[in-house]
Amino acid sequence: NCLTMAWRLFKNLSEEQQRYEKQLIFEHPAFVKLCQQLLRDARRMTRGDLVFSLHAVVHLGVPQNTLLVQTLVRVCQEKLNQLDNRCISVLATTLARMDKDKNVSALQAGLQLLVEQRISSIRDIFILQNLMKCLGKDAPVFLKKKLEMAVLREIDGLTFPNALRMFLALAAMNYCSLPILNACSKKIQENVHDAPFQQLILILETCHTLQYRNVKLFSALADYVNSTAYLWDKRQIILFLSACETLGFQPRELLGIFTEKVTEDPEFLNLKNLLIVLRVYSRLNYIPRVQKHLFFETLHSCLNKCLPQISNTELLKAVYSLGVLGYLPHHALDVLLQKDSKDELVLSDDLKEQNAVMLRCVKTCMELDSPSFTKPAFVLTENLSSLVSLNLRKAHEALTELLGGENMFRQNVRLPYKYHIDFEIRMDSDRKKVLPIAATDDHPDSRVQRLAFLFAPMSAFCLGTTHPQGKLAMKKRHLNKLGYHVILIQNKKFQEMTNEDAVEFLKGKIYSEDAFSFPEATVQDNN
């Protein structure tokens, strides 16, 4: 009782207070006597006192390699079959906190066997969650499925706190149970206003760990943070936006509000926060509609202030992020190119290729996004291969049927700047008729309209939308500059269409006025 009470008082203290109190507790002579008594009486204690004592000393920070902790672990192993479900839950919580060693691993293995036998009798979701955390990702798949079925039996009694904890329990097991996650998501959406900010971040991080994508859940969390943005510190909003970016989810309204906060008071943007903001905005392809230039000039100014302390890799990432958005930060760009000319950007092999790709993109942006760049009259292209990849076979067949033959389009085309398009077709200046490829090659005409089809994976778009993420949006913008009208297609949805629907879909894309609308203005167009 003394140890448990000490732990209850201790856990409510701040981290700094805990360090101070822990030192006082460990140095207190009564604590030493208490531990000695516990060591002597361990084998005579009741099952409840035993597991709660182990729980308390572990959470108070008594080192795991001490005789006291190791003795309690061994006695728990001896009495394992005598433990009731509540004691099993407490023991599971304790083991989840401990490092793996010989005794802990043996006790965990014994606990796993016991859970397999008793799982049908456990009706408490809280106990099931503790077991899930303890058994972790190393638990056999059949046991994870048994735990899943046990939770689903009791899912109707799920409370909001249990829904939050269940997310973490599934993450600990690295087990994506859609029925459980969907039920938890619904409960969280209904009670999102009761969630502490740190829990919101944990939910998003857990969804990323489990590869669970739920647009309704993410939208509910984003709407809540958006409606209470005045309560949160700017750094908290950055953390939330960063978690959204990891999921590929664009919280548009929140990004708009945060843009205003940046332009009003940019002083909070130290180097770390600036790099996160640039990464978020570039990957999610968010360009503010209002005060666009002020926002980018503010970021550029903050970047210039950070130049004396920024590393080469960070500088490259920052300039690359702004380049993806169509903005060229001239001063930072000059510094970067000077470093490149001196070979100062050469890094270890694991980063070499990634940095080379980013640097190439930056140089492409310098050329194509420059206000002085004019659309070329002729673009040198090359057919990479006549073979049709499996994921484009349906599109190839649909275009062949729609246009009347393979001579009416090109496939797998390589362009300058290492860009590649899946299919290209050409139309007359009135956009009424598709022209044979050979005829337009033999007699080049600047009035010929070029269409580029890009069949992109779902991961290239912001979650739940057709809004392209940064890299794809940059590619579309650059192909527009080279004289192409770009048609973006989500390949997964296209593959799900019937052949007839696929042909009609492409017909609508080719002859639609939208296919030939002018692209959105980039930041540089009006700079």
Side-chain angles (χ1 to χ4, degrees):
N1 287 342
C2 180
L3 285 166
T4 302
M5 183 54 70
W7 159 240
R8 284 177 181 168
L9 295 170
F10 183 78
K11 71 176 181 179
N12 291 323
L13 302 175
S14 67
E15 195 174 331
E16 190 176 338
Q17 286 176 312
Q18 283 186 355
R19 281 196 296 269
Y20 176 69
E21 289 294 336
K22 181 178 175 180
Q23 186 178 352
L24 291 180
I25 291 171
F26 283 13
E27 291 175 352
H28 200 288
F31 183 72
V32 177
K33 290 180 181 179
L34 187 65
C35 290
Q36 289 171 345
Q37 184 183 346
L38 180 58
L39 190 59
R40 287 193 303 270
D41 295 346
R43 283 182 167 78
R44 295 195 296 272
M45 297 175 77
T46 65
R47 61 191 182 187
D49 287 345
L50 177 64
V51 294
F52 274 101
S53 295
L54 176 61
H55 179 273
V57 296
V58 168
H59 283 77
L60 283 170
V62 176
Q64 187 173 317
N65 60 356
T66 56
L67 180 62
L68 173 61
V69 174
Q70 292 297 322
T71 299
L72 291 174
V73 169
R74 284 198 298 270
V75 175
C76 284
Q77 197 174 339
E78 292 167 9
K79 297 189 174 186
L80 194 55
N81 288 324
Q82 301 172 26
L83 303 184
D84 60 14
N85 288 347
R86 182 166 178 255
C87 290
I88 287 175
S89 175
V90 175
L91 181 59
T93 305
T94 309
L95 289 175
R97 175 126 179 174
M98 299 178 75
D99 297 327
K100 291 284 180 70
D101 62 26
K102 186 178 178 181
N103 288 326
V104 169
S105 296
L107 179 53
Q108 198 163 16
L111 183 63
Q112 182 175 306
L113 292 172
L114 189 63
V115 170
E116 290 174 26
Q117 296 168 11
R118 292 199 195 171
I119 196 159
S120 59
S121 67
I122 301 174
R123 301 290 186 200
D124 190 318
I125 280 188
F126 183 75
I127 293 176
L128 290 168
Q129 287 169 343
N130 289 338
L131 292 172
M132 291 162 76
K133 287 180 184 176
C134 171
L135 298 175
K137 61 184 179 182
D138 295 330
V141 174
F142 79 88
L143 184 55
K144 291 179 180 180
K145 289 188 178 295
K146 281 188 174 183
L147 285 164
E148 176 186 24
M149 296 310 296
V151 170
L152 290 173
R153 281 199 306 266
E154 311 300 325
I155 204 73
D156 291 340
L158 188 71
T159 64
F160 176 60
N162 276 340
L164 293 172
R165 284 195 291 267
M166 186 57 71
F167 261 83
L168 301 179
L170 287 168
M173 281 208 310
N174 195 24
Y175 186 69
C176 184
S177 166
L178 288 178
I180 295 177
L181 287 169
N182 289 339
C184 291
S185 297
K186 189 175 179 182
K187 186 63 69 173
I188 290 169
Q189 289 171 57
E190 293 169 356
N191 300 272
V192 65
H193 52 275
D194 293 329
F197 187 84
Q198 192 55 38
Q199 291 284 4
L200 303 180
I201 302 295
L202 283 173
I203 291 167
L204 294 176
E205 290 176 347
T206 301
C207 289
H208 175 64
T209 301
L210 297 174
Q211 297 185 334
Y212 176 65
R213 302 293 184 261
N214 186 324
V215 176
K216 286 185 178 178
L217 172 63
F218 302 159
S219 298
L221 299 185
D223 290 345
Y224 170 61
V225 175
N226 184 43
S227 64
T228 55
Y230 61 91
L231 295 174
W232 310 115
D233 183 83
K234 296 185 190 77
R235 291 168 186 82
Q236 288 179 304
I237 298 178
I238 287 176
L239 286 176
F240 185 84
L241 290 175
S242 179
C244 288
E245 176 264 331
T246 306
L247 293 162
F249 173 72
Q250 190 199 69
R252 178 170 286 275
E253 289 186 15
L254 184 59
L255 284 164
I257 286 178
F258 186 73
T259 299
E260 293 177 15
K261 290 181 179 289
V262 169
T263 52
E264 289 169 3
D265 178 27
E267 292 303 315
F268 74 96
L269 281 179
N270 57 23
L271 177 58
K272 180 183 175 183
N273 290 337
L274 175 63
L275 291 172
I276 294 173
V277 169
L278 289 173
R279 190 188 75 233
V280 168
Y281 277 71
S282 65
R283 186 190 170 193
L284 298 180
N285 183 27
Y286 182 82
I287 298 177
R289 295 183 179 225
V290 181
Q291 295 186 321
K292 178 170 61 177
H293 295 291
L294 176 60
F295 176 67
F296 283 106
E297 289 297 334
T298 302
L299 294 180
H300 188 188
S301 175
C302 291
L303 178 58
N304 288 341
K305 289 178 184 176
C306 295
L307 286 179
Q309 67 195 80
I310 199 168
S311 72
N312 292 342
T313 302
E314 289 169 338
L315 175 61
L316 178 57
K317 286 180 178 178
V319 175
Y320 168 77
S321 295
L322 286 167
V324 166
L325 291 165
Y327 181 86
L328 299 176
H330 296 292
H331 181 48
L333 198 50
D334 290 341
V335 174
L336 180 71
L337 294 176
Q338 286 172 15
K339 289 179 180 291
D340 180 43
S341 66
K342 298 175 184 177
D343 290 332
E344 293 178 11
L345 296 177
V346 177
L347 293 167
S348 56
D349 290 340
D350 56 333
L351 293 173
K352 198 171 184 177
E353 187 176 345
Q354 179 186 343
N355 281 19
V357 170
M358 284 196 289
L359 188 59
R360 189 182 73 241
C361 285
V362 167
K363 291 178 178 179
T364 301
C365 290
M366 284 175 59
E367 190 169 339
L368 296 182
D369 291 328
S370 169
S372 61
F373 181 82
T374 54
K375 185 176 81 170
F378 176 76
V379 177
L380 185 65
T381 62
E382 178 187 353
N383 279 24
L384 288 175
S385 170
S386 59
L387 295 175
V388 183
S389 63
L390 189 62
N391 65 329
L392 291 175
R393 191 169 294 167
K394 185 171 201 165
H396 180 274
E397 291 171 357
L399 283 171
T400 303
E401 181 180 339
L402 175 63
L403 303 178
E406 293 185 359
N407 64 320
M408 303 301 288
F409 62 89
R410 298 173 73 196
Q411 63 191 30
N412 204 8
V413 182
R414 183 163 65 188
L415 305 176
Y417 308 99
K418 293 201 173 182
Y419 279 129
H420 161 270
I421 55 179
D422 297 317
F423 297 98
E424 176 190 343
I425 70 170
R426 298 170 190 174
M427 301 184 76
D428 65 342
S429 56
D430 295 328
R431 307 193 300 269
K432 302 292 186 186
K433 182 182 176 184
V434 176
L435 305 174
I437 294 295
T440 52
D441 279 343
D442 294 339
H443 305 284
D445 186 342
S446 60
R447 292 172 298 174
V448 169
Q449 305 283 345
R450 294 170 178 257
L451 266 70
F453 287 84
L454 300 180
F455 287 80
M458 299 296 283
S459 58
F461 299 86
C462 291
L463 188 66
T465 72
T466 55
H467 183 73
Q469 291 189 11
K471 286 183 183 178
L472 183 58
M474 176 178 68
K475 181 176 180 179
K476 180 177 185 288
R477 183 177 76 241
H478 288 167
L479 293 182
N480 287 147
K481 292 290 185 77
L482 292 173
Y484 283 90
H485 301 283
V486 181
I487 297 175
L488 298 179
I489 298 173
Q490 293 181 337
N491 200 24
K492 183 175 182 293
K493 291 188 176 180
F494 184 79
Q495 296 298 331
E496 292 169 355
M497 296 179 186
T498 63
N499 292 337
E500 294 78 8
D501 288 343
V503 171
E504 286 301 313
F505 175 79
L506 292 177
K507 183 178 179 181
K509 289 290 183 184
I510 291 170
Y511 296 104
S512 165
E513 289 293 327
D514 293 340
F516 298 92
S517 60
F518 288 103
E520 290 183 15
T522 62
V523 180
Q524 282 294 337
D525 287 335
N526 301 315
N527 195 345

